[in-house]
Amino acid sequence: MSASSSPVVPAPGDLELVRAFVNSVDLETGVDRLADPTSWREWADQHDIDVPASEADLGSARRLRESLRAALLANHDRAPLPDQTVTALDETARRSRLTARFTADGVHLEPGGQGVDAVLGRVVAVVAAAIQDGTWSRLKACANDTCQWAFYDTSRSRTGQWCSMRICGNRAKQSRWRQQNGAH
C-alpha cells in the first residue's frame, strides 16, 4: 500500500512518526524509502528531518523498522514486545544517547546523539511514551502478510486486523470465501 493511496488514518500525535517510519517500506511494491541516501532524503524531507544518512545509518534504521513491525504484529495478540524489538530499542537508545528530562508534565526521553542516531532516538522515545500512555497497543501492522502496513487501530474493542477494511479486509474475506468454496 503506498503512502499516497493509503486510506489509513494517521496515528495520534508523535506516534505518527513511528507509523510513518514503519511504513517507509511498501512490502507490496518493494519500494523502500530507506534503501539509499537519496530515498532517505525524500522520506526525511516529508517529515521535516534535515539529516543526511550513510549506508550504515540506513542499515540501522531498517533493522529498527523491521523490529518495530514485528512488535506491531505482536500487538494483535496483545503480546509483549518481541525480544528482537527489545534488543533493537535498547541498542538504538544507547547509540542515540537517550536521556531522561523531567518536567512538570512528567518524564520525557530526549536523544543526545546526532544525525540519524538522533532521529532513531526520537522514534524510540515516542515508542517509550506510547507504551507508557497506553497508545502503543493500538499501533499495529496489517494482518495481510503481503501488506503489513502500520495503522492505528481506532476500533472500540482494539481488535482491528487490517490497515483498511475496504482493501486488505476485503482481500482476506475473498480469500476465505474461495478456500471455503473450493474456488481457485
Short mmCIF file of all heavy atoms in Angstrom, two decimals, residues 137-165:
data_model
loop_
_atom_site.label_atom_id
_atom_site.label_comp_id
_atom_site.label_asym_id
_atom_site.label_seq_id
_atom_site.Cartn_x
_atom_site.Cartn_y
_atom_site.Cartn_z
N SER A 137 -0.36 -0.15 22.16
CA SER A 137 -1.07 -1.39 21.79
C SER A 137 -2.05 -1.18 20.64
O SER A 137 -2.48 -2.15 20.01
CB SER A 137 -1.81 -1.96 23.00
OG SER A 137 -2.82 -1.06 23.43
N ARG A 138 -2.39 0.05 20.33
CA ARG A 138 -3.29 0.33 19.21
C ARG A 138 -2.54 0.46 17.88
O ARG A 138 -3.16 0.44 16.83
CB ARG A 138 -4.08 1.61 19.46
CG ARG A 138 -5.18 1.42 20.49
CD ARG A 138 -6.05 2.66 20.53
NE ARG A 138 -7.17 2.51 21.43
CZ ARG A 138 -8.35 2.01 21.09
NH1 ARG A 138 -8.56 1.59 19.86
NH2 ARG A 138 -9.31 1.91 21.96
N LEU A 139 -1.22 0.63 17.93
CA LEU A 139 -0.44 0.70 16.70
C LEU A 139 -0.14 -0.73 16.28
O LEU A 139 0.45 -1.50 17.03
CB LEU A 139 0.85 1.49 16.92
CG LEU A 139 1.60 1.90 15.66
CD1 LEU A 139 0.74 2.80 14.78
CD2 LEU A 139 2.88 2.62 16.03
N LYS A 140 -0.58 -1.09 15.08
CA LYS A 140 -0.48 -2.47 14.61
C LYS A 140 0.01 -2.49 13.16
O LYS A 140 -0.02 -1.48 12.48
CB LYS A 140 -1.85 -3.16 14.66
CG LYS A 140 -2.42 -3.25 16.06
CD LYS A 140 -3.79 -3.87 16.05
CE LYS A 140 -4.35 -3.98 17.46
NZ LYS A 140 -5.69 -4.59 17.44
N ALA A 141 0.43 -3.67 12.74
CA ALA A 141 0.76 -3.89 11.32
C ALA A 141 -0.37 -4.73 10.73
O ALA A 141 -0.89 -5.65 11.39
CB ALA A 141 2.09 -4.59 11.17
N CYS A 142 -0.76 -4.41 9.52
CA CYS A 142 -1.83 -5.12 8.85
C CYS A 142 -1.58 -6.63 8.88
O CYS A 142 -0.46 -7.09 8.64
CB CYS A 142 -1.93 -4.63 7.40
SG CYS A 142 -3.30 -5.36 6.48
N ALA A 143 -2.62 -7.38 9.19
CA ALA A 143 -2.51 -8.84 9.28
C ALA A 143 -2.34 -9.50 7.91
O ALA A 143 -2.02 -10.68 7.84
CB ALA A 143 -3.73 -9.40 10.00
N ASN A 144 -2.54 -8.75 6.83
CA ASN A 144 -2.33 -9.27 5.49
C ASN A 144 -0.81 -9.39 5.30
O ASN A 144 -0.10 -8.39 5.27
CB ASN A 144 -2.94 -8.33 4.46
CG ASN A 144 -2.70 -8.76 3.04
OD1 ASN A 144 -1.84 -9.57 2.73
ND2 ASN A 144 -3.47 -8.19 2.13
N ASP A 145 -0.30 -10.62 5.16
CA ASP A 145 1.14 -10.86 5.08
C ASP A 145 1.83 -10.10 3.96
O ASP A 145 3.01 -9.78 4.06
CB ASP A 145 1.42 -12.36 4.92
CG ASP A 145 1.15 -13.14 6.19
OD1 ASP A 145 1.09 -12.52 7.27
OD2 ASP A 145 0.98 -14.37 6.09
N THR A 146 1.13 -9.85 2.87
CA THR A 146 1.76 -9.14 1.77
C THR A 146 1.70 -7.62 1.95
O THR A 146 2.35 -6.90 1.20
CB THR A 146 1.12 -9.50 0.41
OG1 THR A 146 -0.26 -9.15 0.45
CG2 THR A 146 1.28 -10.98 0.11
N CYS A 147 0.98 -7.15 2.94
CA CYS A 147 0.84 -5.72 3.18
C CYS A 147 1.66 -5.29 4.41
O CYS A 147 2.64 -4.59 4.29
CB CYS A 147 -0.64 -5.36 3.37
SG CYS A 147 -0.91 -3.60 3.74
N GLN A 148 1.21 -5.67 5.59
CA GLN A 148 1.83 -5.32 6.87
C GLN A 148 2.05 -3.82 7.05
O GLN A 148 2.98 -3.37 7.70
CB GLN A 148 3.12 -6.11 7.07
CG GLN A 148 2.88 -7.58 7.22
CD GLN A 148 4.12 -8.36 7.59
OE1 GLN A 148 5.21 -7.81 7.77
NE2 GLN A 148 3.96 -9.66 7.74
N TRP A 149 1.15 -3.02 6.47
CA TRP A 149 1.20 -1.57 6.60
C TRP A 149 0.83 -1.20 8.03
O TRP A 149 -0.15 -1.71 8.58
CB TRP A 149 0.20 -0.97 5.61
CG TRP A 149 0.36 0.48 5.31
CD1 TRP A 149 -0.46 1.48 5.74
CD2 TRP A 149 1.36 1.08 4.50
NE1 TRP A 149 -0.01 2.68 5.24
CE2 TRP A 149 1.11 2.46 4.48
CE3 TRP A 149 2.45 0.60 3.79
CZ2 TRP A 149 1.90 3.36 3.78
CZ3 TRP A 149 3.25 1.49 3.10
CH2 TRP A 149 2.96 2.86 3.10
N ALA A 150 1.59 -0.33 8.66
CA ALA A 150 1.30 0.09 10.02
C ALA A 150 0.05 0.97 10.04
O ALA A 150 -0.12 1.84 9.19
CB ALA A 150 2.48 0.85 10.61
N PHE A 151 -0.82 0.71 11.01
CA PHE A 151 -2.03 1.51 11.17
C PHE A 151 -2.35 1.66 12.64
O PHE A 151 -1.92 0.87 13.47
CB PHE A 151 -3.21 0.86 10.42
CG PHE A 151 -3.73 -0.41 11.04
CD1 PHE A 151 -4.84 -0.40 11.87
CD2 PHE A 151 -3.09 -1.63 10.80
CE1 PHE A 151 -5.32 -1.57 12.44
CE2 PHE A 151 -3.56 -2.81 11.36
CZ PHE A 151 -4.67 -2.77 12.19
N TYR A 152 -3.12 2.68 12.95
CA TYR A 152 -3.57 2.93 14.31
C TYR A 152 -4.98 2.40 14.43
O TYR A 152 -5.89 2.84 13.73
CB TYR A 152 -3.51 4.42 14.64
CG TYR A 152 -3.72 4.70 16.10
CD1 TYR A 152 -2.69 4.47 17.01
CD2 TYR A 152 -4.93 5.17 16.57
CE1 TYR A 152 -2.88 4.72 18.37
CE2 TYR A 152 -5.11 5.43 17.92
CZ TYR A 152 -4.09 5.19 18.81
OH TYR A 152 -4.28 5.43 20.15
N ASP A 153 -5.16 1.41 15.30
CA ASP A 153 -6.45 0.75 15.47
C ASP A 153 -7.39 1.66 16.28
O ASP A 153 -7.19 1.86 17.47
CB ASP A 153 -6.23 -0.58 16.20
CG ASP A 153 -7.50 -1.38 16.40
OD1 ASP A 153 -8.59 -0.92 15.99
OD2 ASP A 153 -7.41 -2.48 16.98
N THR A 154 -8.38 2.19 15.61
CA THR A 154 -9.34 3.07 16.27
C THR A 154 -10.60 2.34 16.73
O THR A 154 -11.51 2.96 17.26
CB THR A 154 -9.75 4.23 15.33
OG1 THR A 154 -10.32 3.68 14.15
CG2 THR A 154 -8.55 5.10 15.00
N SER A 155 -10.64 1.01 16.53
CA SER A 155 -11.84 0.27 16.92
C SER A 155 -12.00 0.29 18.44
O SER A 155 -11.02 0.27 19.19
CB SER A 155 -11.78 -1.18 16.42
OG SER A 155 -10.79 -1.91 17.10
N ARG A 156 -13.23 0.34 18.88
CA ARG A 156 -13.53 0.38 20.31
C ARG A 156 -12.94 -0.84 21.03
O ARG A 156 -12.40 -0.72 22.12
CB ARG A 156 -15.03 0.46 20.53
CG ARG A 156 -15.41 0.51 22.01
CD ARG A 156 -16.87 0.74 22.20
NE ARG A 156 -17.14 2.15 21.93
CZ ARG A 156 -18.29 2.61 21.51
NH1 ARG A 156 -19.30 1.81 21.29
NH2 ARG A 156 -18.46 3.89 21.29
N SER A 157 -13.03 -2.00 20.39
CA SER A 157 -12.58 -3.24 21.03
C SER A 157 -11.09 -3.51 20.84
O SER A 157 -10.57 -4.50 21.36
CB SER A 157 -13.37 -4.41 20.45
OG SER A 157 -13.15 -4.49 19.05
N ARG A 158 -10.40 -2.65 20.09
CA ARG A 158 -8.97 -2.80 19.81
C ARG A 158 -8.67 -4.12 19.09
O ARG A 158 -7.66 -4.74 19.31
CB ARG A 158 -8.14 -2.73 21.10
CG ARG A 158 -8.20 -1.40 21.78
CD ARG A 158 -7.36 -1.36 23.03
NE ARG A 158 -7.45 -0.06 23.65
CZ ARG A 158 -6.41 0.61 24.12
NH1 ARG A 158 -5.22 0.10 24.05
NH2 ARG A 158 -6.58 1.79 24.67
N THR A 159 -9.56 -4.52 18.21
CA THR A 159 -9.39 -5.80 17.51
C THR A 159 -9.21 -5.63 16.01
O THR A 159 -9.31 -6.60 15.26
CB THR A 159 -10.60 -6.72 17.77
OG1 THR A 159 -11.79 -6.04 17.37
CG2 THR A 159 -10.69 -7.12 19.24
N GLY A 160 -8.91 -4.42 15.56
CA GLY A 160 -8.69 -4.20 14.14
C GLY A 160 -7.55 -5.06 13.63
O GLY A 160 -6.53 -5.23 14.30
N GLN A 161 -7.73 -5.64 12.46
CA GLN A 161 -6.74 -6.55 11.89
C GLN A 161 -6.05 -5.99 10.66
O GLN A 161 -4.93 -6.37 10.36
CB GLN A 161 -7.41 -7.87 11.48
CG GLN A 161 -7.98 -8.65 12.66
CD GLN A 161 -6.87 -9.22 13.51
OE1 GLN A 161 -5.98 -9.91 13.03
NE2 GLN A 161 -6.91 -8.91 14.80
N TRP A 162 -6.74 -5.15 9.92
CA TRP A 162 -6.24 -4.71 8.62
C TRP A 162 -6.08 -3.21 8.58
O TRP A 162 -6.83 -2.46 9.21
CB TRP A 162 -7.20 -5.15 7.51
CG TRP A 162 -7.44 -6.62 7.51
CD1 TRP A 162 -6.52 -7.59 7.17
CD2 TRP A 162 -8.61 -7.31 7.88
NE1 TRP A 162 -7.09 -8.84 7.31
CE2 TRP A 162 -8.38 -8.70 7.74
CE3 TRP A 162 -9.88 -6.90 8.31
CZ2 TRP A 162 -9.33 -9.66 8.01
CZ3 TRP A 162 -10.83 -7.86 8.58
CH2 TRP A 162 -10.53 -9.21 8.43
N CYS A 163 -5.13 -2.79 7.76
CA CYS A 163 -4.91 -1.35 7.59
C CYS A 163 -6.15 -0.68 7.01
O CYS A 163 -6.45 0.46 7.32
CB CYS A 163 -3.69 -1.10 6.71
SG CYS A 163 -3.86 -1.74 5.03
N SER A 164 -6.87 -1.44 6.19
CA SER A 164 -8.08 -0.92 5.57
C SER A 164 -9.06 -2.08 5.37
O SER A 164 -8.73 -3.06 4.72
CB SER A 164 -7.77 -0.29 4.21
OG SER A 164 -8.94 -0.11 3.45
N MET A 165 -10.24 -1.95 5.93
CA MET A 165 -11.26 -2.97 5.72
C MET A 165 -11.62 -3.04 4.24
O MET A 165 -11.82 -4.12 3.69
CB MET A 165 -12.50 -2.64 6.57
CG MET A 165 -13.54 -3.72 6.59
SD MET A 165 -12.82 -5.22 7.27
CE MET A 165 -13.93 -6.39 6.57
#
